[in-house]
Amino acid sequence: MKVLDRKLFRVLWTIKGQVIAIAMVIASGIATLVMSLSTIEALEETSAAYYERYRFADVFAQVKRAPEKLTAQIRDIPGVQTIQTRITRYTTVDVTGFSEPVIGLLSSVPEDRQPNLNQLVLRKGSWLSSQATDEVIINEPFAEAHGLAIDDVISLILNGRKKPFRIKAIALSPEHIYSLGPGMLLPDDQRFAVMWMGRKAMASAFDLESAFNDLTLTVEHQASINPILDQLDVLLAPFGGISAIERKDQISNWFVMNEIAQQKTMATILPSIFLAVSVFLTHMILSRLIATERTEIGLLKAFGYSQLQVSWHYLKMVVVICLLGITLGSLLGLMLGRYNTQMYADLFRFPLLVYQPGMQSFLLGGLISVAGALAGAMGAVSKVVQLPPAVAMSPPAPPNYQHGLFSKSWVTQWLDQPTRIAFRQIGRWPLRSFLTSTGMAFSMGLIVMTLQWNDSLGLLAQVNFFEAQKQDLMVGLAEPKKLRALHDLEHLPGVMRAEPVRYISADLRSEHRSHRGSITAMAADNQLQSIYDDAARQSVPVPDEGLILAERLAEKLQVSKGDLVRIDVLEGRRPSLLIPVVDTVETYLGMAAYANLTAMNRLLMDGELFQFANLKTDSLQAADLFYALKNTPMVSSVMVKQAALDAFNETLVEHLMVFITMFIVLAGMVAFGVTYNSTRIALSERGRELATLRVLGFTHGETSYVLLGEVTLLILLGLLLGSLVGWGLVWSMAAAFDTELFRVPLVISEATIAWSMIIVLLAAMLSFTLISGRVRRLDLIKVLKTRE
Amino acid sequence: MTTVKKQSTKTVLSARKLTKVYHTGAIDVWALRGVDFDLYANEMVVLLGASGSGKSTLLNILGGLDVPTEGKVIYADHDISHANDKALTRFRRDHVGFVFQFYNLIPSLTALENVALVTEITPDALDPAKALDLVGLTERMNHFPAQLSGGEQQRIAIARAIAKQPDILLCDEPTGALDMQTGIMVLQAIENINQELGTTTAVITHNAVVGQMADRIIYLSDGQIAGIDVNQQRLPASQLEW
Ligand SMILES: Nc1ncnc2c1ncn2[C@@H]1O[C@H](COP(=O)(O)OP(=O)(O)O)[C@@H](O)[C@H]1O
Ligand SMILES: [Mg+2]
């Protein structure tokens, strides 16, 4: 090995603390990138493999009742490959020992074999017996939520009659990766069950012999989907078909894809931020590190080493540090990625998991880091390398301290000498000081951004679950009922108030833009659920006529107050309506369109109907109410708000906490790396000065204070800047996460700021402890004897 | 032992009208004000002058470590004062050996490696061990600088400078940081090189006694040459005293 290379490794070993600290900064950027990209890759591949293996359908349609022989015509639609008809129904489920109402989605399957499409993953038990009519297969999350096992019995209310069923198998389905009950915002495995039953048993229970009410099919590979959907709609319309949807609009898949899309956003924005910050910091640290090598660079040149040789030597050093960081980051990223994917796999209960990260993410991250670090080092090296050796070897001209901003003002009058030294040092190197502060600011910004998710979700939950909605329960009826049925609900035990709501499925259109959703029609005097402006945090009265749109929906349709929106209703007589937008409100969740119930009923011309009711109840009578609801045939679903909130907290918030922890560790690494290096470099730059102070009789503590005092001041400035940077990052994250599903409210709580500061200070303190050990071990004689 | 030196007249290096101005802040420092200077083959020259008189500046320019503000430096018919970095690098690599007051050894390399650092990039270099032998430090070659005394470090610096068999050896206050006894050992090493290898040598000092071991003493004062003495007899370094 060349002597110069030997020197390289010895130097790296001597400054191993710094090397590790820089590598940690690089690693945090790489780890985020590798984690995010590998998670996405794994989620995409896993869901694709799952769908493929269990034959997830491409098209889904529902009808009221269609004869089985219609399938012949459907099969004739060009491009259609495999068809699976079935019967699906929502029912009420009674689980012994669980008082609250449970809603179940019941789907028919062939008695003797797996269906052609949307096959089940049998986790326990075996397929139905071909003759039995009292067997049911239930989904695993529900089974686990209630501790149900094979051969346990649950009761289902089929067509108004309660009947016991024996659990024959516990299964998963590609159709219900994300299983949302009607009216639910988030999966609630205790209160929503997915169940499968023999086709004959269901046909007789729901009077659908030789008929179906649900159809799924796959299309040929190259077939285009829209013509198929259109022809299907034409065929199904006479049988009460609501327009067919393709896979991407299927609810479970939509959520899974949305989750992947969010990961993607995260994979673009978060690693970009981390990587940018880490590249910036590496750049900053390396250029200072190289500046301290000035004398040696001059010396090597004096011996006749060329500029190229010297530059290459230092760049090699940078490359080694980068490689270390990249390796560290890749390993960490793989670990976190695997963990993260596993977490999703558990959440989604994927029966299989494909985690085989490709090389791209490593290469990409490595390339960016090396390039950034090299650019930083190159700038510093080339500056020194171009100096004549004599100049490089003489220590940089003694800093020209002047009475400036900090020196004569009244502020300094009461400062002791060491503090003055700290202030003057900053005043002397304003740019460098500013960069150190910026480094701290960025690491704090990363922490603010991470912690703030909790604030956003907290606010989102607060606004959505408590301010916008004041009901305790929301019940859904099997089909729309006349308004006077509301009185039946009002008279249930413990109900203090009942308010009608109707959700009308519709395509909302403006010019060529359209959105498939629903119109929430509410009575003008509704109080329990109001039209709520989440940003202004106040209710908007229900308009007599016209629509109030969620701002994001208005943006999607590009309409504003006064514009007309075409409403293609997807149920009943399927009228097409033109309704003006009378206002818009900011909402965090969903893309709602609100209207007056009376006005909508009039436009739909199908009577004074409602299908959902919000209830205000007396919690003391909850058990009685639940019992009564279970035995009210017209009620097909019950959403308990507290349960929804709990589910929200469990799934979203807990999942998020894991993320937050990961990112805080990574951001903490950055903060540590920056302080450690800034202080360590300051120590090597000012070793003589500090040793002189020691010789003059200053104590260890006082000497450390001169060094650390300066960095502390910079950190404090960094913390102030950090709040700003944090705000900026939060803003950009919020913008990036503005999806159809939700908009992240832009709030940062004081606690978040405080915690971020504390974490940064802890990281700084850790590096201070390490450095002040070095100040303690400062060899006075050696430092004073040699020239730096 | 007293040596009578045959006076060589072959010029190795010559400087003409050298000026060097440092611009520091508001004031200009004139480190050199028109220096004419020749270095003859095989001779030993001592540059004597008070601190701040411009000795180091002159030496740095002669050795291609720095460039003059005006004037030229001729080496083998080439003006190195206006050479580009590449040519200067070649000049330093192939022809000049440096010794500095503060040794400037690379702390992370052993004595032997410090020498090898230079021999690796020069074609006709001595074996590093041989160079260390010339300064009498064979047995310490695997020590790191921190494990050596100042005198030993300086002798390693000399070994490093001469290992490439330079045409010119330039020493800037080689004994400045040493006590007399150690200083004399270092000077002996330099004297040895000059006589054994015939290397043209220039030594900077502010110690007039050192002048006695030179062929010529050049007095520098306030950036100008104040006078030149030619010693008829060189005093061996071992007999110097201060
Ligand atoms: N890099 C520099 N910048 C500014 N002034 C310098 C620099 N190097 C030397 N000087 C000034 O030039 C003059 C000559 O310096 P130098 O050649 O080092 O003297 P000597 O080696 O004889 O002590 C001195 O006044 C010194 O302060
Ligand atoms: Mg000098």
Side-chain angles (χ1 to χ4, degrees):
Chain A
M1 192 172 16
K2 285 268 182 67
V3 173
L4 218 47
D5 291 332
R6 239 179 279 172
K7 165 178 170 323
L8 178 82
F9 285 108
R10 287 204 196 120
V11 167
L12 286 176
W13 181 249
T14 327
I15 59 166
K16 54 188 173 299
Q18 270 169 284
V19 170
I20 292 169
I22 300 172
M24 273 164 76
V25 175
I26 297 174
S28 70
I30 300 278
T32 333
L33 187 78
V34 169
M35 177 186 94
S36 310
L37 290 184
S38 68
T39 304
I40 294 167
E41 223 180 316
L43 285 180
E44 278 177 342
E45 281 170 17
T46 302
S47 54
Y50 188 13
Y51 286 167
E52 167 101 29
R53 190 175 311 170
Y54 293 94
R55 315 206 54 188
F56 186 45
D58 294 318
V59 172
F60 302 79
Q62 282 177 330
V63 291
K64 269 214 151 58
R65 179 202 174 97
E68 192 64 28
K69 58 180 193 295
L70 191 67
T71 50
Q73 277 165 276
I74 297 169
R75 195 161 288 122
D76 284 344
I77 299 175
V80 168
Q81 201 176 38
T82 312
I83 302 177
Q84 177 73 57
T85 63
R86 57 186 179 176
I87 300 166
T88 59
R89 269 297 160 93
Y90 282 109
T91 62
T92 308
V93 185
D94 200 355
V95 184
T96 341
F98 190 71
S99 66
E100 292 172 43
V102 175
I103 300 305
L105 172 63
L106 205 51
S107 304
S108 70
V109 288
E111 281 81 1
D112 50 350
R113 56 177 173 86
Q114 283 270 9
N116 294 333
L117 300 178
N118 308 312
Q119 297 181 340
L120 305 187
V121 186
L122 281 199
R123 307 285 282 182
K124 280 186 198 133
S126 53
W127 201 255
L128 307 170
S129 350
S130 53
Q131 299 308 317
T133 55
D134 64 343
E135 291 177 352
V136 70
I137 299 174
I138 64 170
N139 65 327
E140 189 179 59
F142 178 68
E144 284 177 6
H146 290 282
L148 293 170
I150 303 296
D151 287 340
D152 283 355
V153 172
I154 54 172
S155 301
L156 304 181
I157 296 166
L158 301 185
N159 249 357
R161 279 198 313 274
K162 192 160 167 176
K163 223 188 124 189
F165 284 86
R166 200 164 59 82
I167 298 170
K168 190 73 195 310
I170 291 170
L172 292 171
S173 157
E175 243 186 313
H176 300 283
I177 295 175
Y178 199 92
S179 51
L180 263 195
M184 288 180 178
L185 275 172
L186 285 154
D188 182 346
D189 298 332
Q190 267 197 313
R191 294 169 191 81
F192 181 64
V194 185
M195 296 170 296
W196 297 269
M197 195 181 277
R199 172 85 179 252
K200 277 180 230 126
M202 275 191 76
S204 70
F206 296 109
D207 207 13
L208 282 165
E209 267 102 359
S210 315
F212 64 89
N213 71 356
D214 187 297
L215 171 90
T216 62
L217 54 83
T218 52
V219 300
E220 276 157 13
H221 215 61
Q222 63 284 38
S224 76
I225 202 122
N226 282 329
I228 299 179
L229 292 179
D230 291 343
Q231 294 181 59
L232 202 56
D233 283 347
V234 172
L235 280 178
L236 296 180
F239 305 98
I242 300 178
S243 66
I245 57 168
E246 55 183 304
R247 185 193 274 189
K248 78 174 171 58
D249 295 321
Q250 195 261 355
I251 188 94
S252 156
N253 177 63
W254 188 87
F255 271 98
V256 173
M257 293 305 139
N258 190 63
E259 198 71 45
I260 294 176
Q262 265 180 56
Q263 277 287 324
K264 262 190 188 152
T265 313
M266 196 113 102
T268 351
I269 185 146
L270 263 181
S272 311
I273 293 173
F274 261 86
L275 218 50
V277 172
S278 85
V279 164
F280 166 76
L281 295 178
T282 324
H283 183 114
M284 180 185 103
I285 293 166
L286 283 173
S287 51
R288 276 188 77 181
L289 189 65
I290 279 163
T292 62
E293 292 278 306
R294 204 180 138 106
T295 313
E296 283 196 2
I297 293 176
L299 196 60
L300 288 175
K301 283 194 69 188
F303 294 153
Y305 278 90
S306 67
Q307 287 193 12
L308 199 71
Q309 282 171 312
V310 177
S311 308
W312 175 228
H313 173 66
Y314 284 96
L315 296 187
K316 260 197 281 193
M317 175 161 149
V318 174
V319 171
V320 171
I321 299 179
C322 279
L323 286 183
L324 191 68
I326 292 168
T327 316
L328 207 71
S330 301
L331 290 179
L332 195 62
L334 278 181
M335 242 168 60
L336 296 180
R338 193 170 178 106
Y339 182 77
N340 196 14
T341 311
Q342 188 64 56
M343 201 162 61
Y344 270 111
D346 291 347
L347 180 75
F348 290 147
R349 291 173 186 266
F350 285 130
L352 44 104
L353 180 61
V354 189
Y355 186 74
Q356 291 160 336
M359 286 307 293
Q360 310 93 294
S361 51
F362 302 98
L363 287 180
L364 180 66
L367 223 64
I368 297 174
S369 302
V370 172
L374 281 184
M378 199 96 87
V381 171
S382 71
K383 220 188 302 169
V384 181
V385 137
Q386 278 166 18
L387 295 177
V391 180
M393 284 168 69
S394 62
N400 181 14
Y401 290 94
Q402 282 174 352
H403 290 290
L405 188 58
F406 290 124
S407 72
K408 269 187 179 158
S409 71
W410 58 271
V411 190
T412 43
Q413 295 309 306
W414 43 265
L415 292 178
D416 55 5
Q417 289 304 330
T419 310
R420 282 190 207 192
I421 296 180
F423 270 111
R424 296 230 171 100
Q425 185 76 11
I426 294 170
R428 179 63 191 81
W429 307 106
L431 181 66
R432 177 202 286 179
S433 305
F434 178 73
L435 286 182
T436 305
S437 294
T438 316
M440 297 314 295
F442 271 102
S443 43
M444 176 173 150
L446 292 177
I447 299 176
V448 169
M449 178 182 81
T450 314
L451 284 179
Q452 180 271 347
W453 292 341
N454 215 11
D455 297 348
S456 287
L457 287 181
L459 180 68
L460 202 140
Q462 166 71 22
V463 166
N464 189 66
F465 289 111
F466 294 106
E467 294 177 10
Q469 306 189 48
K470 299 198 168 64
Q471 79 280 50
D472 298 310
L473 293 183
M474 182 168 181
V475 297
L477 310 184
E479 49 195 25
K481 290 264 179 201
K482 288 266 183 302
L483 268 176
R484 74 179 103 77
L486 201 61
H487 296 300
D488 298 342
L489 295 174
E490 271 169 351
H491 291 123
L492 290 172
V495 173
M496 301 189 293
R497 190 181 166 86
E499 294 177 353
V501 178
R502 188 173 178 187
Y503 292 99
I504 300 139
S505 309
D507 282 331
L508 290 84
R509 297 184 204 273
S510 168
E511 293 174 21
H512 59 279
R513 293 170 289 273
S514 82
H515 171 76
R516 172 156 297 180
S518 64
I519 293 171
T520 311
M522 306 195 278
D525 59 350
N526 272 10
Q527 291 167 11
L528 298 180
Q529 182 189 6
S530 55
I531 304 176
Y532 197 73
D533 190 308
D534 292 347
R537 297 179 77 165
Q538 62 185 24
S539 302
V540 177
V542 178
D544 292 339
E545 303 285 341
L547 290 174
I548 294 185
L549 298 187
E551 236 149 60
R552 249 161 326 139
L553 179 54
E555 279 162 26
K556 183 178 179 185
L557 296 175
Q558 290 181 29
V559 293
S560 52
K561 213 164 163 173
D563 292 343
L564 287 175
V565 176
R566 202 173 98 218
I567 312 288
D568 291 334
V569 176
L570 296 172
E571 50 187 66
R573 297 179 309 100
R574 302 172 148 254
S576 206
L577 312 167
L578 271 180
I579 308 183
V581 177
V582 295
D583 205 353
T584 59
V585 288
E586 167 89 33
T587 55
Y588 295 145
L589 279 175
M591 289 181 133
Y594 300 98
N596 186 304
L597 181 61
T598 319
M600 276 319 285
N601 278 334
R602 198 168 57 235
L603 288 171
L604 293 174
M605 296 192 289
D606 52 5
E608 292 279 282
L609 302 180
F610 77 107
Q611 195 171 4
F612 289 85
N614 287 306
L615 306 183
K616 182 90 196 150
T617 62
D618 176 358
S619 58
L620 291 176
Q621 297 187 57
D624 291 342
L625 176 59
F626 289 147
Y627 182 80
L629 282 171
K630 278 190 201 180
N631 294 295
T632 307
M634 73 170 177
V635 170
S636 72
S637 72
V638 177
M639 187 201 75
V640 182
K641 193 172 76 180
Q642 189 57 44
L645 182 61
D646 292 346
F648 179 85
N649 280 331
E650 265 165 45
T651 45
L652 264 179
V653 178
E654 274 176 25
H655 193 176
L656 207 64
M657 278 332 269
V658 177
F659 268 122
I660 291 179
T661 317
M662 285 183 195
F663 284 115
I664 288 196
V665 169
L666 293 172
M669 272 164 58
V670 173
F672 169 79
V674 175
T675 11
Y676 185 81
N677 274 294
S678 306
T679 324
R680 184 67 192 77
I681 292 169
L683 176 63
S684 55
E685 285 166 350
R686 299 173 62 199
R688 273 168 80 77
E689 184 182 341
L690 298 178
T692 311
L693 289 178
R694 289 278 294 122
V695 172
L696 292 178
F698 281 75
T699 64
H700 285 298
E702 287 161 342
T703 319
S704 297
Y705 175 75
V706 170
L707 181 71
L708 305 185
E710 176 197 339
V711 183
T712 307
L713 283 173
L714 296 181
I715 289 174
L716 293 182
L717 178 64
L719 293 182
L720 289 182
L721 288 176
S723 314
L724 285 180
V725 173
W727 194 88
L729 293 181
V730 166
W731 185 84
S732 58
M733 280 291 279
F737 276 95
D738 196 348
T739 61
E740 291 201 3
L741 190 59
F742 64 93
R743 169 172 286 175
V744 190
L746 229 173
V747 282
I748 304 176
S749 70
E750 284 96 7
T752 291
I753 297 283
W755 272 112
S756 309
M757 290 184 170
I758 288 171
I759 293 169
V760 171
L761 285 175
L762 282 179
M765 228 122 89
L766 177 64
S767 48
F768 278 6
T769 317
L770 294 174
I771 301 274
S772 79
R774 284 189 162 269
V775 175
R776 206 161 273 277
R777 279 180 271 120
L778 213 54
D779 181 343
L780 302 188
I781 310 305
K782 205 174 105 192
V783 171
L784 291 181
K785 232 168 49 179
T786 55
R787 213 166 50 155
E788 57 239 60
Chain B
M1 182 190 73
T2 317
T3 330
V4 182
K5 188 83 195 347
K6 61 263 162 237
Q7 190 63 43
S8 165
T9 46
K10 189 171 168 255
T11 305
V12 181
L13 192 67
S14 54
R16 291 293 171 266
K17 297 202 173 94
L18 285 186
T19 41
K20 178 73 180 178
V21 186
Y22 292 110
H23 308 280
T24 37
I27 33 159
D28 285 352
V29 179
W30 290 71
L32 296 177
R33 310 163 182 265
V35 171
D36 288 331
F37 178 81
D38 287 308
L39 202 54
Y40 303 124
N42 311 115
E43 73 167 339
M44 154 104 72
V45 168
V46 163
L47 284 163
L48 203 58
S51 181
S53 55
K55 305 181 297 289
S56 297
T57 306
L58 176 59
L59 203 74
N60 287 342
I61 292 173
L62 293 180
L65 293 186
D66 210 347
V67 286
T69 311
E70 266 170 51
K72 47 186 173 180
V73 178
I74 310 291
Y75 176 83
D77 297 337
H78 294 286
D79 182 1
I80 60 164
S81 61
H82 293 98
N84 59 16
D85 183 79
K86 206 171 152 197
L88 270 181
T89 301
R90 279 241 77 86
F91 172 64
R92 293 193 298 262
R93 178 184 293 201
D94 298 341
H95 306 294
V96 191
F98 287 102
V99 176
F100 305 99
Q101 178 178 5
F102 295 99
Y103 335 131
N104 281 338
L105 297 180
I106 307 268
S108 51
L109 296 179
T110 62
L112 190 73
E113 288 166 347
N114 260 289
V115 180
L117 183 65
V118 173
T119 57
E120 268 180 4
I121 55 164
T122 27
D124 300 316
L126 293 179
D127 177 45
K130 168 90 197 308
L132 283 175
D133 190 37
L134 278 174
V135 297
L137 276 175
T138 317
E139 72 284 10
R140 319 225 73 177
M141 64 186 198
N142 288 321
H143 287 62
F144 283 96
Q147 299 164 324
L148 298 166
S149 73
E152 287 169 331
Q153 289 189 51
Q154 192 59 301
R155 276 146 71 201
I156 287 162
I158 292 168
R160 181 176 66 181
I162 53 104
K164 63 162 81 156
Q165 309 211 49
D167 301 319
I168 309 161
L169 176 62
L170 302 175
C171 311
D172 190 346
E173 307 232 18
T175 61
L178 304 172
D179 59 72
M180 187 186 94
Q181 231 160 337
T182 340
I184 284 174
M185 279 173 74
V186 166
L187 290 175
Q188 276 179 309
I190 295 173
E191 178 181 64
N192 201 22
I193 305 302
N194 173 248
Q195 290 181 342
E196 300 276 309
L197 307 175
T199 311
T200 308
T201 307
V203 176
I204 283 183
T205 181
H206 58 261
N207 182 351
V209 177
V210 178
Q212 297 174 27
M213 66 179 282
D215 294 307
R216 291 193 298 151
I217 307 166
I218 295 170
Y219 297 95
L220 220 62
S221 166
D222 200 17
Q224 282 172 316
I225 294 189
I228 301 179
D229 276 353
V230 178
N231 282 339
Q232 289 315 312
Q233 292 214 313
R234 280 170 60 170
L235 200 61
S238 56
Q239 288 174 25
L240 297 177
E241 238 176 291
W242 64 85

